[in-house]
Each structure stands twice: as C-alpha cells, then as structure tokens.
Amino acid sequence: GHGREELPGVDLSRTVGWFTTVYPVALDAGEGDAAASVRAVKEQLRRVPDKGIGYGLLRYLNEDTAGELSGGAVPQIGFNYLGRFASGGGGGGLGLHGGMDPRMPLAHVVEVNSLVEEAGGVPVLRAVWSWAGEVLSRERVAELAAAWFEELTAIADAVERGAGGHTPSDFPLVGLDQEQVTALETELEAGGTSLEDVLSLSPLQQGLAFHAGYDDESTDVYT
C-alpha cells in the first residue's frame, strides 16, 4: 500500500514521498453473489489498522510481537495498487513482465502492479504481472491473469447494475451492522430517495427522543 497516514505525535510536514506499507492480509470472499463478496472484502480491508503501516514495526522492531507475526504462511502473491494517473492514451489490460534481470530476487512467486490511467477521460485499469520463472511458466501466469480480469469484469458489471451498497464502515459515527444498513437503504429507496449518511444524535436530540418515546400516549410537550 502507498499513502501518507497521519501518525499521532509525528510531524510529516518535512518529509517527502510515499510511505510504502507491506503487510499480509487473508481475505474471505464469503458465500453469495458478487455484491456480497465486495461488501465482505471491503469491510475486512478497512479493519486493517492505519492501512497496515504498523505491521513492519511490530514484525521487525518489536521483540515481543516479532515471533508471533513471523510464524504465519509466507505470502505467494504480492499485490500493489499505485493509484490513478493521467495518460496520453493506450488501452488497458494486462502486461506480462519479462524484462527484469533474472538474478533479481522476487519477494513473491507472483507480483501484480496495477494502476488506473485516464485515457481520453475514461479510466482504464492496467496491471503488470511479474513471476518467478523457475516456478511458473508464462502460459500459467497468462491463464491466471486472464482469470483475474474475468472476475474483475464480473464484479464491475454487478456494481453497474446497482450491486454493492453501503457497509458499516461508511458510517463511523454510529454502530450499525450490515443488516441495519441494508434495512435503512431499503426503507429510503422505497420512499424514492437514497442513503447518504447516518449521524449520531446530539445530546439535545437524545433528550427529545427519550421524552417522545417514554410515554407515547401523552402529549409530547416539546413538540
């Protein structure tokens, strides 16, 4: 991951460049359609603290946690999303990178570096695949890359049809679960509008709500 996460007590005003974070994550797509999988994976990624910037500190610089974090499986796939850039043109798709020095060690068996380019005002996804040639053949990687884009296309089609929707992390000020978020969306859509945000009550609103619901048979003196 790339980003400039604001860290408590750290002044970043005199620093330049990206803060690259490398951390393992196990994603469970769950069972269901593409929309349910998108929601599930989105929530899992958003639960990663500070987008993973603390993993390296705990893994390599903290003796109390290094042993526990080094005992997991070694990731075989490295995924890197670089962001969105302007482009002079060209189509999207996949690239199989074969120009690297064969003596250069790879951190993963397969590495995917992806970005989105604005080609003529249209965002286009590009991905470059690198792999360990002594482990995988070019044909196998091409097969994997084609399957990856096929799945992405299916997800994009589902989202265009209205799949997806909000998830609990979209509303950090309130403690809602996915069932409650979906119920709110359904209720508002039935009335011809859409869910934009969910805010917690102010202290005054909490008092008004309490008195309104405490005795619903008497006159609401505040109203």
Side-chain angles (χ1 to χ4, degrees):
H2 299 292
R4 299 185 61 78
E5 304 307 320
E6 295 294 333
L7 303 177
V10 179
D11 181 12
L12 306 181
S13 61
R14 298 179 63 85
T15 63
V16 296
W18 286 339
F19 292 160
T20 299
T21 55
V22 180
Y23 57 94
V25 58
L27 298 174
D28 181 6
E31 298 180 359
D33 56 13
S37 294
V38 168
R39 290 194 296 266
V41 171
K42 170 186 169 184
E43 288 299 287
Q44 292 170 60
L45 287 175
R46 288 194 174 182
R47 283 198 296 265
V48 176
D50 298 322
K51 299 184 180 178
I53 199 169
Y55 172 79
L57 300 175
L58 296 172
R59 168 66 176 83
Y60 299 104
L61 299 179
N62 189 319
E63 295 180 356
D64 296 331
T65 55
E68 182 176 352
L69 291 176
S70 63
V74 178
Q76 298 188 48
I77 298 177
F79 179 78
N80 187 13
Y81 175 64
L82 296 169
R84 179 172 293 199
F85 302 88
S87 171
L94 58 90
L96 301 180
H97 190 51
M100 296 175 62
D101 190 322
R103 296 169 298 178
M104 180 177 177
L106 292 174
H108 308 91
V109 177
V110 177
E111 294 185 357
V112 184
N113 287 280
S114 63
L115 57 88
V116 171
E117 293 181 338
E118 293 284 352
V122 178
V124 176
L125 176 66
R126 300 181 64 85
V128 176
W129 295 66
S130 306
W131 68 96
E134 296 183 2
V135 180
L136 294 174
S137 66
R138 184 182 184 88
E139 290 72 24
R140 289 294 290 169
V141 176
E143 181 181 349
L144 175 62
W148 185 69
F149 268 99
E150 183 178 345
E151 291 294 333
L152 285 181
T153 301
I155 292 174
D157 290 342
V159 171
E160 280 195 353
R161 293 194 301 269
H166 292 98
T167 59
S169 63
D170 292 323
F171 312 112
L173 298 179
V174 292
L176 300 177
D177 57 27
Q178 185 60 56
E179 184 177 351
Q180 292 171 316
V181 172
T182 302
L184 282 174
E185 288 185 318
T186 302
E187 179 181 350
L188 290 173
E189 289 172 359
T193 185
S194 60
L195 179 62
E196 295 293 336
D197 203 350
V198 181
L199 306 177
S200 58
L201 295 178
S202 68
L204 175 60
Q205 290 173 323
Q206 289 179 340
L208 295 175
F210 170 79
H211 285 288
Y214 179 73
D215 186 358
D216 56 6
E217 296 182 358
S218 65
T219 301
D220 188 338
V221 296
Y222 285 102
T223 302

